[in-house]
Amino acid sequence: MLLSTCLLSLLTARALSLQGTIDDEEETTASPSPRPVPCDYDSCRHLQLPCKELQRRSRQPCLCPGLSSQNQPPDPPRLGEVQIWAEEGRAVLHWCAPASPVREYRLQFWEDGGDPRRGPALNNSLRQAPLYPLRPGASYLVCVVALNDAGESPTVEGDGEGFRGKGEAELFGPCRRISVPPRPQTYVHVAVGIGVGLASVSCLALLWHFCLRDRWGCPRRGRPRRHRPRPASGDARGL
């Protein structure tokens, strides 16, 4: 009798254990896995981490935008706002990253009629950088170049003289024409020069009016001209 009671207790405990395991498996199967969401990645955000790095750091699975192959040169970036400081002779360029793997960026610019120049390498997390030195009063063609192990993104050919900078080529492309205004001191110097010139002309006019008119015998307004009496012809002969 005692043996039967012990055997019954063991069977009951085993049944309860199996039932708990089945319930846990059903709960695990019923709970859906979290759906992946887009990663917090903005191609135009300054100091933006690469999307692969965001995936590694994210607690929730996230998806990155599609990228071209690492074995292909990157697509051209999209140049955005360009801020110009004429007094400092520099500009700040803002751009958006292409849908391609990028190792670094470089700024390239031409002055009208000059040779192309290229700045130092920039980290791939940057989306803005200063460009200098720029000459006040000059015009430039500026471009953003993306580089990876396969090559660099296209910009313009030659010295950029054929680039018109109109329509989609300027709004969505990597290049743009900019004009650096003259320094404010230049306008002051021009105004001072004009003022000095006008003052000089006024002084010369007054000098002619008060001094040279009498010397050259020019009549004055409101006064009759005096004539000196000439000696008679007989007196002149006697002398």
Side-chain angles (χ1 to χ4, degrees):
M1 185 66 181
L2 181 60
L3 181 60
S4 300
T5 304
C6 292
L7 183 60
L8 181 61
S9 299
L10 290 174
L11 292 176
T12 303
R14 179 63 176 172
L16 292 176
S17 177
L18 291 175
Q19 183 65 31
T21 303
I22 294 173
D23 293 339
D24 292 339
E25 291 178 356
E26 290 178 355
E27 290 178 1
T28 303
T29 305
S31 60
S33 59
R35 293 183 178 181
V37 297
C39 296
D40 185 19
Y41 177 81
D42 187 351
S43 62
C44 302
R45 182 187 298 160
H46 186 50
L47 300 178
Q48 174 66 69
L49 291 176
C51 194
K52 296 296 183 182
E53 183 67 22
L54 295 178
Q55 283 183 327
R56 286 193 293 266
R57 296 186 179 186
S58 178
R59 296 181 179 179
Q60 183 179 3
C62 65
L63 300 176
C64 290
L67 299 177
S68 61
S69 173
Q70 183 72 35
N71 299 324
Q72 297 178 355
D75 295 331
R78 179 167 62 88
L79 181 59
E81 182 184 8
V82 178
Q83 299 173 326
I84 302 174
W85 282 270
E87 296 182 359
E88 302 177 8
R90 68 184 183 95
V92 176
L93 277 62
H94 302 255
W95 66 88
C96 297
S100 305
V102 177
R103 185 186 71 241
E104 63 187 35
Y105 294 99
R106 288 181 183 268
L107 302 183
Q108 186 169 331
F109 62 106
W110 298 261
E111 186 177 358
D112 287 346
D115 297 328
R117 289 180 285 178
R118 180 172 289 193
L122 304 172
N123 190 276
N124 60 358
S125 65
L126 299 182
R127 299 296 184 269
Q128 67 181 45
L131 180 66
Y132 56 87
L134 302 179
R135 187 169 57 87
S139 297
Y140 294 88
L141 175 63
V142 297
C143 299
V144 182
V145 185
L147 299 93
N148 60 15
D149 295 336
E152 63 181 48
S153 61
T155 52
V156 294
E157 297 180 357
D159 57 358
E161 292 184 356
F163 182 80
R164 299 298 180 185
K166 295 181 179 179
E168 295 184 358
E170 182 178 10
L171 294 178
F172 303 102
C175 301
R176 184 175 304 168
R177 285 198 178 276
I178 63 172
S179 297
V180 182
R183 289 192 178 97
Q185 291 84 351
T186 304
Y187 295 108
V188 174
H189 295 163
V190 171
V192 171
I194 294 175
V196 171
L198 292 176
S200 301
V201 172
S202 301
C203 291
L204 291 176
L206 292 174
L207 181 64
W208 179 84
H209 182 75
F210 290 107
C211 299
L212 300 183
R213 287 172 65 92
D214 290 339
R215 183 176 180 182
W216 291 347
C218 297
R220 296 184 179 180
R221 293 182 180 179
R223 290 185 180 181
R225 185 176 180 181
R226 295 181 180 180
H227 297 277
R228 294 181 180 180
R230 294 183 178 180
S233 58
D235 297 338
R237 292 176 183 177
L239 294 174

